[in-house]
């Protein structure tokens, strides 16, 4: 089993990068390395199988290995997790940066898979449907591998023009994905998720690609209604992973460094 924290650069560790999934630890390594040229960076790796346990795990990691308050950066699902942690433990976070966040209002969620599928070939769509059936089948045991294949196909739909890069996810964790995401969906569907934003007083910056299947209005509109100090930045020709996008990577890295330095 891998440790639940990796460090990049030199102290002080002012920045923490939280991965997505849920259940995709390690994917933030390329961004961590890029930022570590200028900052000490923590990369917490979530290992728990419930939403509340992941919040507590992240809290404990930050408290033990940090300069408090720090700049918390969440990607995709990790943006939602970071949002929840910041609301519950505001003294830990100086600034919250959300990269390619999951949507905060349930009404925007149905469009995500529709958009992704519309960008795939018929053969790829058929594979997605087959893999989905296998993931739902209780008799199928190797679901981590199936989850990996599923993610590889959707990666094409998630990116605008991706640069070649090594796959750095340490392990695809389907059980964690399902358990944690079910908790998160209930929180979002109830409206409790977005209401947590009223407890956040630090600056919040959301960075999103215009080609990301997750509709930007699902982040911008809900957060602007509850966050006092909120800024939204839309990157052109950019999908879900801005640090590997050919046309957006440099602008994205510059924005990140600027926001961390503010």
């Amino acid at each position: 089993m891998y440790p639940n924290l990796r460090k990049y650069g030199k102290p002080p560790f002012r920045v923490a990068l939280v991965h997505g999934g849920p259940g995709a630890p390690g994917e933030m390594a390329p961004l961590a390395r890029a930022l570590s040229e200028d900052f000490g960076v923590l990369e917490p790796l979530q290992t728990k199988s419930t939403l509340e346990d992941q919040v507590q795990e992240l809290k404990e990691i930050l408290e033990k290995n940090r300069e408090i308050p720090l700049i918390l950066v969440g990607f995709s699902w990790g943006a939602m997790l970071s949002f929840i942690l910041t609301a519950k433990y505001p003294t830990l976070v100086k600034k919250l940066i959300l990269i390619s966040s999951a949507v905060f209002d349930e009404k925007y969620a149905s469009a995500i898979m529709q958009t992704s599928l519309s960008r795939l070939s018929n053969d790829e769509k058929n594979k997605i449907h087959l893999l989905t059936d296998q993931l739902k089948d209780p008799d199928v045991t190797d679901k981590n591998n199936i989850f990996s294949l599923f993610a590889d196909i959707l990666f094409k739909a998630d990116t605008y023009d991706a640069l070649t890069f090594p796959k750095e996810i340490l392990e695809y964790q389907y059980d964690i994905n399902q358990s944690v995401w079910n908790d998160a969906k209930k929180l979002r569907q109830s409206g409790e998720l977005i209401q947590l934003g009223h407890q956040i007083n630090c600056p919040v910056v959301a960075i999103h690609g215009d080609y990301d299947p997750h509709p930007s209005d699902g982040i911008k509109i809900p957060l602007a209604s509850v966050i006092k100090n909120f800024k939204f930045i839309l990157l052109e020709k950019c999908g879900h992973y801005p640090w590997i996008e050919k046309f957006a990577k440099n602008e994205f890295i510059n924005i990140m460094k600027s926001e961390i330095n503010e």
Side-chain angles (χ1 to χ4, degrees):
M1 185 67 177
Y2 50 82
N4 66 357
L5 176 68
R6 298 193 292 195
K7 298 180 179 181
Y8 302 79
K10 300 177 181 178
F13 294 100
R14 298 174 47 210
V15 183
L17 304 182
V18 182
H19 66 78
E27 66 184 350
M28 300 302 288
L31 180 56
R33 285 194 295 269
L35 294 178
S36 70
E37 297 174 4
D38 298 280
F39 315 102
V41 179
L42 303 176
E43 184 194 9
L45 304 174
Q46 282 67 66
T47 66
K48 304 301 183 181
S49 58
T50 70
L51 172 56
E52 183 55 34
D53 284 347
Q54 286 207 355
V55 172
Q56 292 305 313
E57 179 181 38
L58 180 57
K59 171 181 177 286
E60 291 170 7
I61 292 172
L62 299 182
E63 286 178 332
K64 291 178 182 178
N65 301 274
R66 83 292 186 247
E67 294 291 321
I68 292 295
L70 49 63
I71 296 171
L72 187 59
V73 182
F75 166 68
S76 193
W77 148 252
M80 189 179 287
L81 175 60
S82 299
F83 176 87
I84 295 168
L85 179 130
T86 303
K88 291 189 173 185
Y89 305 103
T91 59
L92 297 181
V93 183
K94 178 181 180 181
K95 175 185 278 191
L96 177 62
I97 301 177
L98 310 176
I99 304 170
S100 306
S101 178
V103 297
F104 285 85
D105 189 320
E106 191 66 23
K107 71 181 181 181
Y108 296 98
S110 62
I112 298 170
M113 184 55 73
Q114 294 174 9
T115 299
S116 295
L117 290 175
S118 72
R119 298 172 178 175
L120 299 176
S121 68
N122 287 333
D123 182 55
E124 289 166 333
K125 289 177 187 176
N126 289 335
K127 288 179 180 177
I128 285 291
H129 292 313
L130 175 62
L131 293 171
T132 300
D133 289 341
Q134 291 176 338
L135 288 171
K136 292 179 180 178
D137 187 342
D139 295 327
V140 174
T141 57
D142 191 14
K143 291 188 177 179
N144 287 348
N145 184 56
I146 296 168
F147 187 34
S148 173
L149 297 173
F150 183 91
D152 285 346
I153 296 173
L154 284 186
F155 177 82
K156 176 182 177 181
D158 285 347
T159 52
Y160 182 83
D161 190 353
L163 299 165
T164 301
F165 75 108
K167 188 176 179 180
E168 298 198 46
I169 293 175
L170 298 172
E171 178 186 12
Y172 282 93
Q173 304 163 327
Y174 180 72
D175 288 344
I176 288 179
N177 176 272
Q178 291 299 288
S179 176
V180 174
W181 190 239
N182 284 338
D183 292 345
K185 283 194 292 186
K186 290 176 184 176
L187 196 67
R188 184 171 67 188
Q189 289 167 348
S190 70
E192 294 178 57
L193 174 65
I194 192 60
Q195 290 306 311
L196 287 172
H198 290 294
Q199 299 169 211
I200 296 177
N201 295 314
C202 71
V204 178
V205 180
I207 306 171
H208 211 76
D210 64 356
Y211 194 73
D212 193 320
H214 300 73
S216 60
D217 281 353
I219 295 94
K220 178 171 59 176
I221 294 174
L223 292 185
S225 72
V226 294
I227 303 291
K228 296 176 182 177
N229 189 347
F230 176 65
K231 177 164 61 173
F232 185 86
I233 300 172
L234 190 66
L235 300 174
E236 295 182 355
K237 296 182 179 180
C238 180
H240 194 56
Y241 305 86
W243 61 89
I244 62 165
E245 286 282 1
K246 177 180 178 181
F247 296 103
K249 176 182 177 180
N250 290 341
E251 180 186 4
F252 169 70
I253 296 296
N254 287 337
I255 288 171
M256 286 294 301
K257 291 181 177 181
S258 175
E259 291 296 336
I260 291 169
N261 274 321
E262 277 189 2

